Amino acid sequence: MFHFARNLVTATALFGAALGTSANAADLIISTGLGKPHPWVGAHMDPFADAIEKGSPDVKFTRFYAGELVGVGKELDALTSGTIAVAAPLLAPYHEGRFPLSDVTQLPAYGTDSPMVTRAFQKLLDSDVAIKDGKTFYQYEIADKGIRAWALGATAPYSISTVKKVLREPADFSGTPLRAGSALHTIMLEKLGATPVTLPGSQAFEAASRGTIEGLVIAISDWPSYSLQQLLRHSIVDVSIGHWESYLAISDAAWNELSEEQKALFDKTARDVAASNAQEWETRLTKVKDESIAKDGGEFTSINTLSDAMKQHIEKAAADTWVAWIEKTEANGHPAKATAKLYAELIQAEGGTLPAGVADYLAK
């Protein structure tokens, strides 16, 4: 059974015209809060819209970029109010409290890449396993919000990268100000002993340039989106501080204007473009690393080459992050443990590895 998550909203509010003249014709507003250089724009939003317009000539998109119409964290309200029809992407972690379980892919793991996480997250959305009160993940997290949603291509693994300071031993983290992009990153940095500084990616360059932060938790393949390749020199790799996932979303109102053939096209295209987008994240990861090494003297240090004390410190922080996120989210009334257990099964089936002790904790 397919789950569709989308928010197509009438163009009437902005253009004085109806969403579509029939179930076979629609003029849809698609919006992103991100700039064109971002992989979720040039390698996701635009290819998705292009493929839909090619596959169904009666569907046309009016495209808005870089927050021209709707800023980051405002996508859900824009969908349900009719300001836009499609959010590409809807960045769930910036909608505080409204998608309490969608951060699950940001839990630390080993041996994961973007395609693996993309497949696992879409399987989580498609799963018929109940996580609370007979509701699946999709029913709990998405279905009552007036939208239909699909997984994006997950980012490449998030890593800890610094400008000048080299993190070699556990004490090097102590008090070090590092950018956190989400609540889960904040937990991980606290467990490491660093000082988390919550900032959107768009503010990271200035903060790192001024020395307000020593470095960031961010996907290496995303450095060019924010010109960070000019600054970051030292990265710890081969441990993922999770992967950022979120949604391509269309409103229920807009969805209902589409024909069955168009709905099938939306579903297939969303899945296909997410898969190709995931591969683009991996391609960019290799390219950015190679260019950083060749041009800027960048260093990428495997966790497996660090001292035993440092490796154990990071591994313990990774495991403790699972526990802290689950217990905090459960305390707020949400089925975080059931969600984490299901996601853990899915990511392990893809070839990923959990931090030591997590499997035992989830089995209790």
Side-chain angles (χ1 to χ4, degrees), residues 220-239:
I220 293 166
S221 51
D222 212 10
W223 288 4
S225 298
Y226 307 110
S227 300
L228 293 169
Q229 72 274 24
Q230 302 173 31
L231 294 174
L232 299 176
R233 294 292 179 270
H234 311 285
S235 302
I236 298 173
V237 296
D238 297 329
V239 56

Side-chain angles (χ1 to χ4, degrees), residues 196-319:
V197 180
T198 302
L199 289 173
S202 58
Q203 297 178 18
F205 179 87
E206 182 177 0
S209 297
R210 292 183 174 182
T212 305
I213 56 175
E214 291 280 355
L216 299 88
V217 175
I218 195 167
I220 293 166
S221 51
D222 212 10
W223 288 4
S225 298
Y226 307 110
S227 300
L228 293 169
Q229 72 274 24
Q230 302 173 31
L231 294 174
L232 299 176
R233 294 292 179 270
H234 311 285
S235 302
I236 298 173
V237 296
D238 297 329
V239 56
S240 165
I241 316 300
H243 296 247
W244 193 294
E245 255 290 11
S246 231
Y247 303 108
L248 170 71
I250 178 176
S251 68
D252 286 343
W255 182 257
N256 293 335
E257 294 291 331
L258 302 177
S259 69
E260 292 305 311
E261 292 78 10
Q262 289 166 341
K263 290 176 181 178
L265 176 64
F266 261 66
D267 179 69
K268 183 179 186 303
T269 303
R271 294 166 187 267
D272 289 348
V273 172
S276 63
N277 184 231
Q279 191 55 57
E280 176 66 17
W281 278 101
E282 290 302 310
T283 300
R284 292 191 187 203
L285 173 60
T286 300
K287 181 180 179 181
V288 172
K289 288 173 69 175
D290 289 347
E291 289 181 351
S292 176
I293 293 169
K295 296 180 180 180
D296 303 314
E299 296 179 348
F300 300 89
T301 304
S302 171
I303 187 176
N304 298 313
T305 66
L306 295 172
S307 69
D308 288 343
M310 184 64 152
K311 184 177 179 181
Q312 291 169 11
H313 180 66
I314 294 173
E315 289 179 340
K316 184 177 187 302

